[in-house]
Amino acid sequence: MEQKIKEGLEQIRPFLQRDGGDIEFVEYTDDHIVKVRLQGHCAGCPGAQMTIKGVVERILMESYPEIKGVEAVQ
């Protein structure tokens, strides 16, 4: 599953990089939560939580229904 998540993040990454940011996979928990770390401009962006929930979480959950959510970690 981790490999599938990383592949999904690779599809999202160019959109974040266009704005000077990036995303790193951290962990897929036993309770089906994906943990990611935003990097670059995305790390301090006021809209970071909206990016996680509105973009990253939506895309990953549509592709892999077993995922229950996406959370950002420091």
Side-chain angles (χ1 to χ4, degrees):
M1 186 61 176
E2 287 185 14
Q3 187 57 39
K4 290 180 182 179
I5 293 168
K6 289 177 183 178
E7 290 169 5
L9 292 176
E10 284 300 319
Q11 295 177 14
I12 298 165
R13 180 169 276 122
F15 298 103
L16 300 175
Q17 289 175 338
R18 188 173 37 195
D19 292 327
D22 207 345
I23 192 165
E24 173 190 7
F25 172 78
V26 175
E27 178 184 14
Y28 181 61
T29 67
D30 291 338
D31 54 347
H32 305 282
I33 301 296
V34 177
K35 295 193 177 188
V36 297
R37 181 176 295 116
L38 291 174
Q39 300 173 326
H41 288 150
C42 291
C45 174
Q49 188 62 27
M50 190 170 61
T51 299
I52 291 291
K53 294 296 179 186
V55 179
V56 178
E57 183 176 78
R58 183 179 52 82
I59 290 172
L60 288 179
M61 289 176 69
E62 285 175 2
S63 299
Y64 311 108
E66 56 268 47
I67 294 173
K68 302 296 182 212
V70 176
E71 296 177 0
V73 297
Q74 296 298 328

